[in-house]
Amino acid sequence: MKRVGFVGCGNICDIYMSNIIEVFKDLRITGVTDLVPERAHSKASEFGIKKIYKDMHELLSDPDVDIVLNLSRPYEHFTVTMAALTANKHVYTEKPLGALFGEAEKIMALAKKKNLQVGGAPDTFLGAGIQTCRKLIDDGFIGDVLGASAFMVSRGTESWHPDPEFYYKYGGGPMLDMGPYYLTALVSLLGPVKTVAGMTKASFTERTITSKPQYGKVITVDVPTYVTGLMNFHNGVIGTIFTTFDVHAAEVPHIEIYGSEGTLSVPDPNFFDGPVRLFRAGSEGFAEIPLLFEYHDNSRGLGLADMAKAIETGRNARASGELMLHINEIMTGFERASEEQTFVDIKSFVERPALMETPILRGLFDS
């Protein structure tokens, strides 16, 4: 049993709390803290959590906390994670690992020095949809993989999110916010990336919030909101990715993998389930494939539960810090390549995470 302390009680915390309480049997919530005390008290009351810490530092000093769950805002991830590691706590963090690759490197260097595990979002690639795609690729259903494409196209967050400004500030933007879902899926399916190129821009210097409670507030845009990337994987596969907060509508797939014997349509990596669709050479069209693994529903916290078991057994976590570091370098590499108008070599390397095993009991890991 690993005991988890929450730093941050924003929108995403509800599903983590629900799944820790109801699904993942090897985890227990010790307590919570938030910069807005009312939020911490509200969530603690809603989910029956007894400890409410006055601040992050009180939480970090509690010996009853084994793992810090970092749900702070993206530009705060580095500070919170470094403080937790310094306090000798394992950390599971929302994405990205750091707003800059240098931040991510410092986090992993400290974790290695302290012999602590770091892991983090996204863990959607561990769900039934993408795990099924992984098995189909590994079993040769599309032959030799030749290429891949990914698209995350939206008009941004200011029309629906109650506090959307951080999406357009340091640590935000479509690539750092949504890119981790797509790139983590691609790396888990195809392996690590060797070289990247990219072009980026901010199409609009200002955005106007149309959601409540900040309707009418004007946001200054500080990050690229139209990002295209080209990837050369270590195995020779060439991939492309396009992420944007600037487009009203598009008719594009989420992810497609192209092989010598067919094409695999990968489901939206923001979710854990399908549909998974396969086209085989000579067939009349795409066929939907039954999902072959567990965790079809919203299973956020799955990576955290896997990391807890990894700490216990000494193996590598699937949603590991090393994977997050590699994804971080790819994402920031696109912008660097755009600024320098050159190809950028990716120096980090990570093995593909192990395929998920079917649990004897949902919510438990056998090893």
Side-chain angles (χ1 to χ4, degrees), residues 168-214:
Y168 299 97
K169 298 299 182 181
Y170 175 71
M175 182 55 73
L176 284 181
D177 177 55
M178 294 299 295
Y181 294 101
Y182 292 78
L183 291 169
T184 302
L186 287 171
V187 170
S188 72
L189 295 173
L190 306 175
V193 171
K194 184 178 181 181
T195 309
V196 301
M199 289 188 179
T200 72
K201 68 174 181 177
S203 300
F204 309 100
T205 58
E206 294 181 340
R207 318 281 288 227
T208 301
I209 298 175
T210 57
S211 62
K212 294 181 179 181
Q214 300 184 51

Side-chain angles (χ1 to χ4, degrees), residues 73-307:
R73 291 168 291 192
Y75 58 83
E76 297 167 328
H77 288 177
F78 174 72
T79 301
V80 173
T81 297
M82 289 293 283
L85 292 171
T86 300
N88 296 309
K89 307 292 187 185
H90 303 284
V91 183
Y92 189 90
T93 180
E94 264 299 319
K95 42 73 184 169
L97 184 58
L100 299 172
F101 180 57
E103 292 181 350
E105 283 187 303
K106 289 177 181 177
I107 286 170
M108 295 311 299
L110 182 58
K112 182 177 180 180
K113 180 181 178 181
K114 292 267 192 176
N115 195 29
L116 294 167
Q117 286 226 25
V118 172
D123 56 2
T124 48
F125 75 99
L126 300 177
I130 293 173
Q131 290 292 299
T132 297
C133 292
R134 165 73 176 270
K135 184 163 179 58
L136 291 172
I137 291 171
D138 290 355
D139 289 351
F141 276 80
I142 60 170
D144 297 327
V145 180
L146 309 174
S149 62
F151 299 88
M152 195 298 296
V153 181
S154 82
R155 186 57 183 172
T157 59
E158 61 269 31
S159 66
W160 59 270
H161 197 282
D163 184 23
E165 187 167 5
F166 72 88
Y167 285 99
Y168 299 97
K169 298 299 182 181
Y170 175 71
M175 182 55 73
L176 284 181
D177 177 55
M178 294 299 295
Y181 294 101
Y182 292 78
L183 291 169
T184 302
L186 287 171
V187 170
S188 72
L189 295 173
L190 306 175
V193 171
K194 184 178 181 181
T195 309
V196 301
M199 289 188 179
T200 72
K201 68 174 181 177
S203 300
F204 309 100
T205 58
E206 294 181 340
R207 318 281 288 227
T208 301
I209 298 175
T210 57
S211 62
K212 294 181 179 181
Q214 300 184 51
Y215 182 89
K217 179 180 178 179
V218 176
I219 303 169
T220 301
V221 177
D222 297 337
V223 293
T225 53
Y226 196 104
V227 182
T228 61
L230 178 66
M231 297 163 283
N232 180 18
F233 289 79
H234 276 271
N235 60 5
V237 172
I238 293 175
T240 59
I241 184 170
F242 170 43
T243 67
T244 183
F245 284 161
D246 300 338
V247 174
H248 286 284
E251 294 181 340
V252 291
H254 296 291
I255 298 175
E256 287 184 341
I257 310 295
Y258 311 114
S260 60
E261 302 297 329
T263 296
L264 183 62
S265 178
V266 180
D268 187 343
N270 194 35
F271 301 97
F272 287 82
D273 57 1
V276 173
R277 298 170 64 242
L278 174 68
F279 178 90
R280 296 267 290 169
S283 64
E284 295 183 357
F286 282 86
E288 187 165 338
I289 304 299
L291 301 184
L292 306 174
F293 291 82
E294 184 56 87
Y295 304 109
H296 298 234
D297 52 356
N298 189 344
S299 301
R300 290 184 195 272
L302 177 58
L304 172 59
D306 175 73
M307 190 181 87

